[in-house]
Amino acid sequence: QVQLVESGGGLVQPGGSLRLSCLASGFPFSSYAMSWYRQAPGKERELVATITTAGASTVYADSVKGRFTISRDNAKNTVYLQMNSLKAEDTAVYYCRAQWFVRGYWGQGTQVTVSS
């Protein structure tokens, strides 16, 4: 059974930091590219960051470049999103996604709220 379980969300003040984790099981994690997406209320889901299978390459949305860092630990079947200098506009539900060619899986999401 495929599972992607996100954790680490919560309420943080502007300028603060959070680290999201996504624990994967039920598929060959190291063979899948991993991504973080987010969806704010009333908006479409958007790609935040992607990391390749061995972690050699990463891609970021312009809105998070220089503030967010995606990483993975294939030995732990986990992908991370370190979020620094958080802004109110980063408030959203954050989802992890596993992708291998046309096959993909979603996690259930974790809420991140940036507010004073």
Side-chain angles (χ1 to χ4, degrees):
Q1 180 183 0
V2 171
Q3 282 193 307
L4 292 170
V5 181
E6 299 98 334
S7 61
L11 174 64
V12 63
Q13 292 187 344
S17 297
L18 282 175
R19 188 195 196 202
L20 305 183
S21 300
C22 174
L23 176 62
S25 61
F27 64 96
F29 178 78
S30 62
S31 296
Y32 281 65
M34 296 298 298
S35 299
W36 287 94
Y37 285 74
R38 67 185 181 186
Q39 187 166 21
K43 294 189 177 182
E44 293 187 354
R45 192 171 296 189
E46 64 174 353
L47 176 65
V48 175
T50 296
I51 188 166
T52 52
T53 53
S57 181
T58 56
V59 176
Y60 295 92
D62 287 344
S63 59
V64 306
K65 280 181 182 176
R67 300 188 298 122
F68 290 10
T69 302
I70 188 171
S71 61
R72 66 190 295 162
D73 186 337
N74 286 345
K76 295 182 179 180
N77 281 9
T78 302
V79 62
Y80 306 96
L81 186 67
Q82 177 66 44
M83 305 186 295
N84 299 328
S85 302
L86 282 161
K87 306 175 182 179
E89 51 263 42
D90 295 319
T91 295
V93 178
Y94 283 72
Y95 300 88
C96 70
R97 176 169 175 81
Q99 186 78 41
W100 182 75
F101 294 99
V102 297
R103 183 173 298 171
Y105 308 113
W106 289 99
Q108 84 289 347
T110 185
Q111 176 70 47
V112 171
T113 302
V114 184
S115 175
S116 55

